[in-house]
Amino acid sequence: VRRAALLVLFLLTTGFTRTETREPCTRTNPLRDPYFGDTHVHTALSFDAAGQGTRNRPRDAYRFARGEALGVQPYDEAGVPRRTVRLRRPLDFAIVTDHAELLGETALCATPGSPGYDSLICFISRRWPWLGYLIVNSQMIDVRDPPRYSFCGPDGRVCAEAAAGPWGEIQDAAEEAYDRSAACRFTSFVGFEWSGNPESKMIHRNVVFRNTAVPRLPANYIDDHTAERLWQRLGSECLDAGNGCDVFTIPHNPNLSGGLLFTTETNGHPIGRADAELRGKMEVLLEITQHKGDSECRLGAPVTDELCGFEKLPFARMREQATFWSRTDPPPMSYAREILGAGLEQASRIGANPFKLGLIGATDTHLGTAGMVDEDQFIGHAAGISTSRTEVPPMPDSVVMNPGGLAGVWAEENSRDALFEAMRRREAFGTSGPRIVVRFFGGWDLPAGLCDAPDLVAQGYARGVPMGADMPERPDGGTPTFAVWAAQDPGTAEHPGTPLQRIQIIKEWVENGAAREQVFAVTGDTASDARVDLKTCRPEGRGHDTLCDVWRDPAFDPSTHALYYARVVENPSCRWTGWVCSTRRVDCAASVPSGLEACCDDTVPKTLQERAWTSPIWYVPQPAASRSATSASSATSGTTSPERTNASISSIPPIADADQRPHVLRRTRLVARHDGRGRRSALRPSPRQAVARRPRSPAVAASATGSVAARWHTPPAAPDRSPPGVARAASRSSAGRSGRGGALHPRSRRVR
Amino acid sequence: MFQRRVRMSARRLLWIGCLLALPVPVLVVGQGHVPALRLLFMGGVTMAVILFESARGAAVLLAAFLIGQFAVYAGVLWLVAAVITRLAGRWRVPAAIAILVALFAVALTRPIYRCPFLPVVSRVSLLGVYR
């Protein structure tokens, strides 16, 4: 009865507001379904995409996202594309986010008779596009105060107004692609990218509008040099316009921002509460992965999380891709974990968290190929390789690039309002490409057996909060407990997905004013034997198609701010470089074809472990408790020790070691096994698997999480075979608890 | 004196011909093989944009890369031409002419260049490069 009452309360207090005229969706789920999309797509309207030979326009990008084939460069002299690509599974939503900078200039340069068409820079861009690209791009990515070209007039008005043309095209394309019928097959949003690059440090932000109410012109870095000015403009021209306009921004590539994307200063002053609240209102999501690298966490000291080495760029600024002799390491605030931690520090200091960011993935394609993230389909980023305009290079891009990721959004239906509100409340997750589905709930009294409950999701919502939210008010003696459930990407019949390997929970908290972090191995195989046959790119070894666990923080301090997010890791699979080398049958013992030298370079990774990241769940201490607990803590432990504050993660004393294991309630389930040759032998095929194997499975197990749990049976208890010290992650405690989990024994159950 | 003039003339002839037609690798600013003079031309165009549009930042670096590469190739080719003319002895002029005729014959008839600056096709002959 209590559960039902809580669920009714949840259903009554949630939902979304419809701000547009459209048919209601036939398929709605108050407990929400996962929808996959790409929030970062460029087309020929972007100056750097056009300079790379991209001819696809916003309409083409949306057609592609909906599953149609698309031609891409190089084009022959008759204008016929020499490559055609198509998504294996359509997306549920997409956002074309062309650069707002030079939007007008790019249009003018391509329109005969327009002012500027005959200017020197336009002539160069048409006649020698690669040189034009280099000149324009080098200016845009390097100058703090980029000027307008002379043909824009003394005040730049000509070009600013010319942006109205492509801006209208973006809106029209979004409207045409949006499925307003009851089928709700596809959702588009109007958006653009504000692309600041002071001293080649990227402080880019994608701007996403909720509906058709948008400003007359997009804001751009040439006119508004700071994020604060961008938000002010969006405030005055959208949020305060009184026409139903609603907006948020999605920053990306902190790894290339030189630490400038998120700063704890505003106009030279330490960030204040009002600034923090403005940021929190305008920026709700962070793009954690895309073509230009992963931005989750830093590899190397002081962090000892070995999974941080995933898709890292070897340079800290875009300019350094060319000036390889002057490459530098990314400074602090270049990775999500550092940024989220800084947010906690600020919350402790000023009472508001300026960096309360959910996590998503995207592509940043400059070809108009939204959501084309499969490693074996990668055809390049199209903003950086000189030859892709005119020929098909053997390696489609620089080996440090990658196909990018996707955003997963938990929403009631596939409509603009539902998806927008879901993203705003950060109920979203990022993947490095595969359509892994992950649920993450936090609460104070989530039952240990939640993974076996038929109503996991309903209970998760009723008794806790989903990813992206703050923990509910803490009851006396409460310890945060988290339920995390993940399902592998089923893929398609011809291209099945890769099984899951493990789930981790990453905790960050504030200690003596400084952020700390720890990685906990929660469930799955930390010592998996899974690997890849590089000759065929066939995965080998066992894995899981679902994992679930309820985890309790073993070292919770109610007086400090904290956050928790989950990371779901797949078994190893071929990276795009591995696919290229395998497909071309490169034999390093024989002569290596020109352009494929990277195949025989051991420093170029050929495999990877794809993954998904949930948005965090934050714990905000209650003021009174915080004050009393902090003073008590300081009095007893003398925690002002600077050594402790500055200690590396590996030097943190173990928080949860063997004698604390009862804190961790583990339930791991192996539903399918892999026979060692990459084939899956379903031990217990379920109806959900059948559903999930359909080619179009955006909502993979759609409401899977609610219903699948119902089909789980309580497995028999199994002896503990956890090998110590396997998952070193960033914590000794996690290593101590890591184990093979359910991989050893199907239906194994461990409650420690 | 006369010998020296002839040698210099042959060397200059060979040097200029190589600058015009010998494909050299494009470094940093693209991938391909173009005549060195093409790099100078592109560097000049970039300089023109810098002057007329007050371009700053990496645009200056770009021009420096292009003109710098030309300067390096010009120096190397000058040395190569000097070695060839010295080795050819009294046959230096016929040798230089023979080399240039062969070079231009191939350059004009075969797509030996891979030019990253062209809009559609990258593999072109000498006429394609300077079209």
Side-chain angles (χ1 to χ4, degrees):
Chain A
V1 171
R2 182 168 170 251
R3 246 186 245 169
L6 284 169
L7 183 59
V8 169
L9 185 67
F10 163 74
L11 295 176
L12 287 174
T13 54
T14 57
F16 62 94
T17 308
R18 205 178 290 287
T19 65
E20 58 179 355
T21 306
R22 60 156 299 137
E23 283 186 61
C25 295
T26 309
R27 176 177 166 168
T28 61
N29 179 3
L31 294 179
R32 294 162 189 158
D33 288 323
Y35 294 99
F36 285 98
D38 190 349
T39 58
H40 194 167
V41 180
H42 293 273
T43 71
L45 301 184
S46 291
F47 66 94
D48 52 351
Q52 290 283 289
T54 296
R55 299 186 187 180
N56 292 317
R57 302 184 78 87
R59 281 181 180 83
D60 302 313
Y62 284 126
R63 279 198 300 108
F64 181 79
R66 297 181 65 154
E68 290 185 36
L70 191 67
V72 296
Q73 65 264 48
Y75 291 86
D76 64 18
E77 292 189 73
V80 178
R82 288 168 56 194
R83 289 187 290 186
T84 302
V85 289
R86 185 174 198 161
L87 286 179
R88 293 190 175 121
R89 290 170 289 180
L91 295 176
D92 298 309
F93 68 95
I95 312 173
V96 169
T97 50
D98 279 308
H99 293 292
E101 297 72 24
L102 306 187
L103 203 55
E105 286 87 336
T106 306
L108 291 174
C109 281
T111 310
S114 68
Y117 183 79
D118 295 321
S119 66
L120 177 62
I121 189 66
C122 289
F123 176 78
I124 292 171
S125 296
R126 289 192 304 274
R127 181 92 183 194
W128 306 295
W130 176 247
L131 185 67
Y133 164 80
L134 289 177
I135 293 173
V136 175
N137 211 39
S138 63
Q139 194 169 359
M140 285 308 299
I141 69 163
D142 207 45
V143 180
R144 185 173 286 275
D145 184 12
R148 294 272 189 192
Y149 289 113
S150 54
F151 66 81
C152 296
D155 56 356
R157 207 68 222 148
V158 172
C159 294
E161 288 298 325
W167 181 230
E169 183 179 339
I170 289 168
Q171 293 173 63
D172 292 345
E175 184 55 39
E176 287 169 24
Y178 184 31
D179 183 2
R180 289 179 185 269
S181 76
C184 292
R185 286 188 196 90
F186 184 81
T187 296
S188 59
F189 291 90
V190 180
F192 65 86
E193 180 176 349
W194 177 88
S195 324
N197 299 282
E199 295 163 8
S200 197
K201 297 170 181 170
M202 295 179 82
I203 54 171
H204 293 197
R205 286 164 163 92
N206 287 325
V207 179
V208 181
F209 294 95
R210 179 174 186 140
N211 48 39
T212 54
V214 300
R216 194 177 69 82
L217 291 171
N220 65 79
Y221 179 75
I222 297 172
D223 297 326
D224 298 303
H225 288 342
T226 63
E228 287 77 13
R229 287 189 60 175
L230 167 70
W231 298 327
Q232 283 167 10
R233 185 178 287 276
L234 292 174
S236 62
E237 295 183 359
C238 178
L239 296 176
D240 301 334
N243 60 354
C245 185
D246 200 354
V247 68
F248 61 74
T249 60
I250 306 175
H252 64 84
N253 284 114
N255 59 333
L256 292 171
S257 73
L260 288 187
L261 189 61
F262 299 96
T263 58
T264 52
E265 289 187 346
T266 301
N267 300 324
H269 302 291
I271 197 166
R273 191 183 172 99
D275 299 321
E277 286 172 348
L278 174 66
R279 277 174 175 268
K281 181 179 174 187
M282 296 303 300
E283 298 207 313
V284 291
L285 295 172
L286 169 66
E287 194 178 286
I288 195 171
T289 190
Q290 57 128 281
H291 282 176
K292 294 195 292 290
D294 167 83
S295 298
E296 185 200 0
C297 48
R298 184 185 299 272
L299 181 64
V303 180
T304 55
D305 179 351
E306 77 273 20
L307 292 182
C308 288
F310 180 71
E311 296 294 357
K312 287 289 172 291
L313 290 184
F315 43 85
R317 292 187 293 172
M318 280 311 290
R319 183 208 290 171
E320 293 171 9
Q321 189 173 16
T323 58
F324 49 84
W325 57 88
S326 64
R327 286 180 178 175
T328 53
D329 288 330
M333 299 290 278
S334 292
Y335 294 101
R337 245 185 242 174
E338 297 167 348
I339 296 155
L340 293 168
L344 296 179
E345 292 171 4
Q346 293 298 317
S348 300
R349 194 175 66 80
I350 59 176
N353 186 341
F355 311 132
K356 206 162 193 173
L357 299 157
L359 305 176
I360 58 165
T363 62
D364 193 14
T365 173
H366 280 58
L367 296 164
T369 52
M372 204 167 82
V373 291
D374 289 350
E375 297 285 329
D376 60 330
Q377 283 193 312
F378 186 46
I379 54 169
H381 172 61
I385 288 287
S386 61
T387 54
S388 60
R389 156 186 279 278
T390 52
E391 57 191 65
V392 180
M395 275 285 172
D397 210 328
S398 162
V399 294
V400 299
M401 306 296 268
N402 75 87
L406 292 176
V409 177
W410 288 104
E412 290 84 352
E413 63 176 33
N414 189 7
S415 69
R416 282 181 177 169
D417 285 315
L419 292 173
F420 188 90
E421 287 197 10
M423 288 190 276
R424 169 161 282 165
R425 67 173 177 267
R426 307 176 189 87
E427 197 171 350
F429 56 96
T431 86
S432 58
R435 300 190 188 190
I436 299 167
V437 176
V438 54
R439 290 272 200 186
F440 188 46
F441 293 103
W444 302 105
D445 63 345
L446 295 180
L450 192 57
C451 285
D452 295 328
D455 55 351
L456 182 157
V457 175
Q459 282 200 63
Y461 279 119
R463 304 169 77 149
V465 293
M467 61 180 79
D470 285 354
M471 288 286 281
E473 195 172 323
R474 178 173 175 260
D476 284 345
T479 300
T481 308
F482 299 89
V484 55
W485 178 96
Q488 76 160 82
D489 179 358
T492 62
E494 296 78 22
H495 300 274
T498 306
L500 302 180
Q501 185 187 71
R502 53 180 149 161
I503 297 180
Q504 300 166 312
I505 286 181
I506 292 90
K507 176 189 178 184
E508 291 193 71
W509 73 99
V510 178
E511 195 171 292
N512 300 325
R516 311 291 291 269
E517 64 185 67
Q518 190 164 10
V519 182
F520 294 88
V522 173
T523 187
D525 310 330
T526 48
S528 168
D529 60 350
R531 60 187 205 90
V532 186
D533 179 352
L534 276 175
K535 284 188 176 166
T536 60
C537 275
R538 184 176 293 183
E540 297 173 345
R542 296 174 298 178
H544 308 260
D545 63 1
T546 58
L547 287 169
C548 185
D549 201 358
V550 175
W551 179 85
R552 187 173 296 154
D553 184 354
F556 176 62
D557 179 353
S559 67
T560 64
H561 287 261
L563 66 83
Y564 306 81
Y565 70 89
R567 183 169 63 189
V568 184
V569 184
E570 279 189 355
N571 275 349
S573 54
C574 254
R575 189 177 185 259
W576 68 270
T577 43
W579 276 107
V580 169
C581 302
S582 167
T583 307
R584 300 287 294 267
R585 300 181 188 281
V586 175
D587 181 2
C588 293
S591 66
V592 179
S594 173
L596 293 175
E597 293 80 6
C599 290
C600 302
D601 181 348
D602 290 340
T603 63
V604 176
K606 311 296 186 307
T607 63
L608 81 172
Q609 282 189 279
E610 303 269 23
R611 59 200 63 196
W613 306 264
T614 70
S615 290
I617 292 174
W618 285 265
Y619 167 70
V620 181
Q622 291 145 38
S626 175
R627 277 197 299 274
S628 60
T630 306
S631 58
S633 167
S634 302
T636 54
S637 62
T639 48
T640 51
S641 159
E643 295 80 16
R644 184 80 191 279
T645 304
N646 299 325
S648 68
I649 290 295
S650 57
S651 69
I652 298 172
I655 295 170
D657 48 24
D659 59 354
Q660 289 175 297
R661 286 183 186 177
H663 286 296
V664 180
L665 302 159
R666 173 175 300 186
R667 237 170 225 95
T668 306
R669 176 138 204 87
L670 181 65
V671 178
R673 268 179 120 162
H674 292 257
D675 62 1
R677 291 190 295 275
R679 293 196 299 261
R680 246 169 29 153
S681 56
L683 296 175
R684 193 165 55 81
S686 67
R688 183 189 63 78
Q689 283 179 310
V691 170
R693 284 210 169 269
R694 284 185 304 194
R696 179 182 166 84
S697 56
V700 176
S703 20
T705 43
S707 55
V708 167
R711 287 191 282 277
W712 289 11
H713 307 291
T714 305
D720 186 355
R721 299 187 187 183
S722 304
V726 173
R728 66 190 172 96
S731 73
R732 282 180 238 170
S733 57
S734 64
R737 289 183 293 95
S738 61
R740 293 174 194 270
L744 291 173
H745 297 283
R747 301 190 175 192
S748 68
R749 174 183 178 172
R750 291 175 194 169
V751 179
R752 298 184 211 166
Chain B
M1 189 69 183
F2 177 75
Q3 285 289 328
R4 183 176 158 74
R5 262 192 201 164
V6 169
R7 196 168 67 215
M8 285 301 287
S9 299
R11 184 194 291 188
R12 276 195 201 117
L13 189 69
L14 192 58
W15 180 61
I16 292 169
C18 287
L19 287 178
L20 265 170
L22 190 74
V24 294
V26 181
L27 302 175
V28 184
V29 294
Q31 297 171 22
H33 298 83
V34 296
L37 213 57
R38 183 70 172 176
L39 293 169
L40 178 66
F41 179 71
M42 290 299 165
V45 168
T46 309
M47 286 299 294
V49 176
I50 292 169
L51 289 175
F52 291 116
E53 296 289 355
S54 308
R56 287 169 283 146
V60 180
L61 203 60
L62 173 64
F65 275 139
L66 288 162
I67 295 170
Q69 281 184 61
F70 167 77
V72 170
Y73 286 128
V76 169
L77 290 175
W78 178 254
L79 291 175
V80 169
V83 170
I84 290 172
T85 49
R86 189 171 291 274
L87 289 176
R90 57 189 292 231
W91 299 100
R92 62 183 68 91
V93 174
I97 291 172
I99 289 170
L100 290 179
V101 167
L103 175 62
F104 274 85
V106 173
L108 288 167
T109 55
R110 295 188 176 276
I112 59 170
Y113 305 97
R114 191 164 159 237
C115 186
F117 305 111
L118 296 174
V120 181
V121 285
S122 62
R123 290 182 190 278
V124 289
S125 67
L126 190 61
L127 289 176
V129 171
Y130 290 112
R131 186 173 57 184

